[in-house]
Amino acid sequence: MMRRRVVAVIASLALLGLAAGCAGDSSTLDRPKPQAAPGHRMMPAQPTPPAQPGEAQKTDESCNPRASVRPTTPLPPPGKMPAGTYMAKIQKDGRLILGTSQDTLLFSSRNPLTGRVEGFDVDMGRQIAQAIFGDPDKIQIKVIAYDDRVDAPRNGDVHIVADTMTANCARWKDVNFSSIYYEAGQKVLVSTNSPAKSIEDLGGKRICSAAGSTSYDNIAKVKTKPIPVAMPAFGDCLVAFQLGQVDAISTDDTILAGMAAQDPFAKVIGPRFTEEPYAMAMSADHPEFTAFVNAVLQKNRENGTWAATYKKWLGAFGPAPKPPAAQYK
């Protein structure tokens, strides 16, 4: 098993190295240094027992996180954004800046052959560019860390974020979210020889997730007390898992399915133990942009674009379900 595991690690490292050496869009390849969440410590290069996690934070339930700004109707024609709107500014800038990751297979990962970041989330951003410019290629992809997904649109570093990002009340206090475009749920990835059937069977075990993600926070809420381990991104979790530095990875089931496809000695276990409604994040200073994005999403639910996007990237999981129904304030 160890020999096969080393082979898998080498393959993953080769893929990551190839991706890092490719060019083909304006994505930033430099990774920020990982930041430990309060009460936790980052995994070092060599496996050592991490500190015990602090108490899990209580979930903010002060809002309906699925309810967004009611969409603008009718949509303005591409290339003719209303004066004074954030869409007009984006149009003047000449491209939509999308914040996303580069290592979330099927949603936003760098193609090692072309160097381009692509996936379901990226296509969500391209559809907004299409609506603004009439050209989905008028987009600049900026790779951001998971814990920058709120700050990047709030500070104006990007126009919009589509990055397997769960809409929740705590984040709504800092950014606006679109209506929900995908329903996911958290599960766990373990070795194929693990007897664990769910995350509750991993008490005291080291479980990796991305720093700044809701998945990381949820690990500390499990009653059997698994040990959360933070990494800058889920690709780093996969390498740490293959090197034996962590016992498992926990995040949304769709992300884990992509990881399992890369590692024949890994499997996804258990039922979903959370609901993770994905939405796009934008600055709260421009509610007209949120309304515009919601109008685009609604149009694409109705005309089959959402279903075609699902089939393109996630069709291996089965026929496209109905897209999530929009909810508005």
Side-chain angles (χ1 to χ4, degrees):
M1 173 62 77
M2 179 57 69
R3 181 183 298 275
R4 288 181 294 175
R5 176 66 67 191
V6 170
V7 171
V9 172
I10 292 172
S12 292
L13 291 173
L15 178 59
L16 290 171
L18 180 58
C22 290
D25 56 33
S26 56
S27 307
T28 302
L29 291 176
D30 294 335
R31 288 197 180 280
K33 292 182 179 180
Q35 299 291 322
H40 303 270
R41 64 185 288 189
M42 302 298 297
M43 271 304 285
Q46 297 298 322
T48 60
Q52 290 292 329
E55 293 183 2
Q57 295 182 352
K58 186 177 181 180
T59 302
D60 185 344
E61 298 180 349
S62 61
C63 74
N64 175 6
R66 297 171 180 268
S68 186
V69 179
R70 189 166 295 278
T72 302
T73 53
L75 277 168
K80 297 182 179 181
M81 297 297 105
T85 65
Y86 197 54
M87 298 85 76
K89 178 186 182 302
I90 295 170
Q91 181 181 327
K92 183 178 180 180
D93 290 344
R95 79 276 191 244
L96 176 75
I97 304 176
L98 172 71
T100 193
S101 65
Q102 66 176 350
D103 59 2
T104 307
L105 191 66
L106 304 178
F107 278 82
S108 53
S109 62
R110 191 175 293 276
N111 185 319
L113 300 179
T114 66
R116 296 176 64 86
V117 178
E118 59 188 22
F120 191 95
D121 280 345
V122 175
D123 278 4
M124 291 292 107
R126 288 170 61 83
Q127 289 161 20
I128 306 305
Q130 170 69 37
I132 294 175
F133 298 99
D135 182 353
D137 292 329
K138 293 277 189 177
I139 190 169
Q140 175 186 341
I141 296 174
K142 185 172 183 178
V143 174
I144 59 176
Y146 271 80
D147 52 1
D148 283 339
R149 292 179 298 175
V150 170
D151 287 341
R154 183 173 59 180
N155 297 338
D157 295 333
V158 301
H159 296 133
I160 194 166
V161 170
D163 192 10
T164 61
M165 188 173 184
T166 299
N168 61 38
C169 295
R171 289 170 174 169
W172 260 107
K173 294 175 180 177
D174 295 313
V175 294
N176 275 0
F177 281 106
S178 70
S179 57
I180 305 306
Y181 69 84
Y182 191 85
E183 297 278 3
Q186 191 166 346
K187 291 187 177 182
V188 180
L189 179 141
V190 297
S191 173
T192 51
N193 62 5
S194 171
K197 301 297 182 183
S198 70
I199 193 169
E200 286 80 6
D201 298 329
L202 298 172
K205 301 294 186 181
R206 297 163 297 180
I207 303 181
C208 188
S209 200
S213 67
T214 56
S215 301
Y216 177 77
D217 296 335
N218 290 335
I219 295 169
K221 298 175 184 177
V222 177
K223 293 180 179 179
T224 56
K225 299 188 181 304
I227 301 170
V229 176
M231 286 288 184
F234 288 112
D236 302 307
C237 280
L238 180 59
V239 173
F241 171 74
Q242 292 174 330
L243 289 171
Q245 294 179 345
V246 297
D247 303 293
I249 304 170
S250 185
T251 186
D252 304 343
D253 47 4
T254 46
I255 300 174
L256 294 179
M259 292 184 184
Q262 298 175 75
D263 187 345
F265 310 110
K267 62 182 179 181
V268 180
I269 62 169
R272 290 179 175 180
F273 60 93
T274 67
E275 292 183 0
E276 306 296 337
Y278 292 169
M280 289 186 270
M282 294 149 280
S283 169
D285 294 335
H286 307 289
E288 79 281 4
F289 183 45
T290 306
F292 175 86
V293 169
N294 285 340
V296 176
L297 290 175
Q298 186 59 38
K299 177 182 177 182
N300 291 346
R301 290 185 190 98
E302 295 170 353
N303 66 15
T305 299
W306 186 93
T309 306
Y310 184 98
K311 181 178 180 181
K312 176 182 177 182
W313 295 108
L314 306 171
F317 299 121
K322 288 183 179 181
Q327 299 181 35
Y328 304 118
K329 297 180 183 295

